[in-house]
Amino acid sequence: MSNTSSWEEIGEKILSSARSELYMNLPFLDVALGSLVPDCGQHTPRIATDSHKLYYNGSWVALQYEQARSLVCRAFLHSLLHCMLRHPPKAKGRDATLWDVSCDIAVESILDSLPYACLTPRTSRARRNHWYTRLRSDMPVLTAESIYRFLRRNPLDELELASLAREFLEDDHQYWVLAGEDQQQESAPQWQQIGQQVQTQMETVMSEGFADGQAVLEQLRVEHQDVTNYRWFLHRFAVLGEEMAVDADAFDYGYYSYGLRRYGNMPLIEPVENKESRKIQDLVIAIDTSMSTSGELVRQFLGYTYTILKDTESFFRKINLRILQCDNQIRSDVLIQDAKQLAEYMEDFTLIGQSSTDFRPVFTHVEQLIQQGSFHRLRGLVYFTDGLGVYPAHRPSFEAAFVMLAGQSHPERVPVWATRLLIDQDELLQGE
């Protein structure tokens, strides 16, 4: 038997033993643990996954096991959590280095919170704890998306970023890319279902007094928050109106065609030149420009909103769209009346603000505009924010929706009179 084959067999046996030990300590992971099959058929210096298999380097696995059995369990569960939280397919459109670091920090924060001997780290992690404390002061749950957003807002120099990556390095992420986008998207629904099953099992055992694993459950709950399609939601603000267009349902095609055949260029019934349709006419879009909101995310949100509104099927030729920028006061109020003005606004868009957040000035301003007759039939206001700020105490005279990114915001703070809308950042990337 070759030395390579020997290492493969040793590595497979060690990983099989680690999986059994993880199951004994974390039985709610039974379905997930059986979904990654160890495979030594790929070249990796450590351990890696493409969301289908768990690739390993036999000699590296053996070396980890020799140092401490718990290190193999940690590596196995580290890769498994990446899959459960669907980190590989979410890499699309994001900075690869920052996303890798963010995913590793999110997963390691879970492992460091689990009080099991099979997951004991190699050494004390004072630097990790410093980062956990710093991040938790900025976000309710240490999800990869929230950490990524934090690192974009608080950039590190190249040396600091490399040092941070080494601190939380566990597995090899190269197969996230090598697997291909189609393969990653194909596996995403399977891991979503597995994650939901694990979440259900954990909520069941925790209702019976089991306290460990809270960090896993928190991230799974964020991962499986109800996400709404923003394009569909915008059409809630559409109104019925009349515009110049051929109404295909307002005349009989039979008589029309008969006239053309019988008399040449003489249809018996002329098509109606006006038709009723339901489109957006009056709308207010407010942007939270405070320091807690990323300018990059604001641009993504506006870019995607633009792709929806520029579609002639979404709004009337003449519209009354107000785009407001506000932190603790109104910083900008721009009136958009047609697609050309909207395109020009997007081309020259500049973010104004970066102070604290107070939502009340926007609502006061819109109420004043209504009293001044600035709107014909205002259906509502869409406020893009992370949810941190001072909300109005009372329901306004119009519908209000606070739009936030799932896993990167504080939806629990939205008052009961408002609509809370969570959208996936991947949906925003469609507008770029």
Side-chain angles (χ1 to χ4, degrees):
M1 181 183 295
S2 69
N3 189 48
T4 301
S5 298
S6 177
W7 282 123
E8 288 181 5
E9 291 186 6
I10 292 173
E12 185 174 3
K13 289 180 180 179
I14 292 174
L15 288 174
S16 177
S17 174
R19 180 166 54 191
S20 298
E21 190 164 3
L22 287 170
Y23 173 74
M24 293 297 294
N25 287 276
L26 304 164
F28 47 81
L29 292 178
D30 56 347
V31 176
L33 287 167
S35 299
L36 275 186
V37 180
D39 189 324
C40 199
Q42 299 284 341
H43 299 289
T44 175
R46 308 171 68 85
I47 195 170
T49 183
D50 60 0
S51 299
H52 292 275
K53 293 182 178 181
L54 184 68
Y55 301 109
Y56 65 92
N57 182 302
S59 59
W60 181 84
V61 171
L63 179 61
Q64 297 296 103
Y65 186 80
E66 184 179 15
Q67 295 181 51
R69 188 173 62 187
S70 63
L71 298 183
V72 181
C73 291
R74 284 185 71 98
F76 194 122
L77 188 52
H78 180 106
S79 290
L80 183 65
L81 287 170
H82 279 319
C83 296
M84 287 174 55
L85 298 172
R86 294 184 293 168
H87 290 162
K90 292 179 181 178
K92 179 185 176 183
R94 292 186 168 102
D95 180 280
T97 302
L98 279 187
W99 181 243
D100 285 348
V101 174
S102 302
C103 293
D104 283 339
I105 294 175
V107 166
E108 286 296 298
S109 70
I110 293 176
L111 296 177
D112 288 338
S113 72
L114 295 173
Y116 298 107
C118 67
L119 297 173
T120 302
R122 182 185 289 108
T123 59
S124 61
R125 304 292 177 89
R127 188 163 186 269
R128 287 190 173 199
N129 292 332
H130 163 75
W131 270 99
Y132 295 153
T133 302
R134 183 179 176 186
L135 291 168
R136 287 193 177 100
S137 67
D138 187 79
M139 60 197 72
V141 182
L142 299 189
T143 63
E145 293 87 347
S146 296
I147 297 169
Y148 178 83
R149 176 185 169 193
F150 177 88
L151 294 177
R152 292 301 294 264
R153 243 187 11 247
N154 304 276
L156 305 176
D157 62 39
E158 190 174 340
L159 182 60
E160 290 175 323
L161 185 60
S163 175
L164 185 64
R166 284 195 301 273
E167 177 68 35
F168 290 92
L169 174 67
E170 191 64 62
D171 62 347
D172 178 7
H173 296 178
Q174 64 173 309
Y175 296 105
W176 294 11
V177 177
L178 293 177
E181 183 181 333
D182 291 342
Q183 185 175 340
Q184 291 293 359
Q185 295 301 328
E186 178 185 341
S187 64
Q190 173 196 355
W191 282 106
Q192 180 179 17
Q193 183 178 9
I194 291 172
Q196 289 172 335
Q197 290 176 326
V198 171
Q199 178 183 339
T200 300
Q201 292 180 18
M202 291 191 70
E203 288 172 339
T204 300
V205 296
M206 285 187 172
S207 67
E208 299 172 355
F210 179 82
D212 298 336
Q214 185 64 37
V216 183
L217 183 57
E218 285 179 346
Q219 290 213 32
L220 286 175
R221 281 173 172 165
V222 172
E223 174 66 21
H224 300 126
Q225 285 177 330
D226 292 333
V227 176
T228 304
N229 183 282
Y230 178 57
R231 177 184 292 273
W232 169 85
F233 180 81
L234 264 187
H235 286 283
R236 285 184 54 180
F237 299 111
V239 296
L240 190 64
E242 193 174 81
E243 61 180 345
M244 295 289 291
V246 174
D247 190 344
D249 298 322
F251 65 94
D252 191 321
Y253 273 102
Y255 285 106
Y256 182 80
S257 301
Y258 173 76
L260 292 177
R261 291 196 306 269
R262 182 69 177 81
Y263 302 109
N265 191 23
M266 186 184 295
L268 292 181
I269 300 177
E270 286 288 350
V272 179
E273 295 182 352
N274 292 307
K275 76 169 186 177
E276 287 189 332
S277 55
R278 187 171 291 278
K279 296 185 179 183
I280 297 171
Q281 186 175 49
D282 287 355
L283 180 65
V284 176
I285 297 176
I287 305 296
D288 176 3
T289 61
S290 65
M291 294 182 65
S292 64
T293 306
S294 164
E296 177 195 5
L297 293 178
V298 168
R299 288 180 177 84
Q300 289 178 0
F301 170 75
L302 279 179
Y304 185 45
T305 303
Y306 169 65
T307 63
I308 297 173
L309 294 182
K310 73 178 181 180
D311 179 1
T312 57
E313 295 302 315
S314 296
F315 64 94
F316 294 105
R317 288 182 177 85
K318 285 295 182 180
I319 59 173
N320 191 14
L321 171 65
R322 307 293 286 245
I323 301 181
L324 310 178
Q325 293 191 48
C326 181
D327 44 23
N328 60 359
Q329 59 183 292
I330 301 293
R331 299 292 181 178
S332 172
D333 178 359
V334 177
L335 172 62
I336 305 292
Q337 294 185 306
D338 55 40
K340 181 181 178 182
Q341 291 181 359
L342 183 58
E344 291 172 350
Y345 177 83
M346 285 302 303
E347 185 175 347
D348 300 326
F349 173 74
T350 301
L351 195 66
I352 307 171
Q354 297 295 295
S355 184
S356 58
T357 306
D358 190 337
F359 301 117
R360 294 173 297 180
V362 164
F363 286 84
T364 300
H365 183 66
V366 173
E367 293 284 10
Q368 291 172 349
L369 289 174
I370 293 174
Q371 293 172 9
Q372 295 167 8
S374 300
F375 298 105
H376 302 292
R377 299 167 67 184
L378 179 64
R379 288 292 302 273
L381 175 150
V382 174
Y383 210 133
F384 182 71
T385 178
D386 64 353
L388 292 173
V390 182
Y391 291 88
H394 305 289
R395 180 191 298 272
S397 62
F398 48 87
E399 183 178 352
F402 288 89
V403 180
M404 309 175 187
L405 293 183
Q408 305 185 48
S409 54
H410 301 263
E412 72 283 353
R413 302 196 178 197
V414 176
V416 294
W417 50 259
T419 300
R420 180 182 66 185
L421 179 66
L422 295 175
I423 59 177
D424 196 308
Q425 187 172 1
D426 292 337
E427 184 183 353
L428 292 189
L429 294 175
Q430 298 174 30
E432 295 191 330

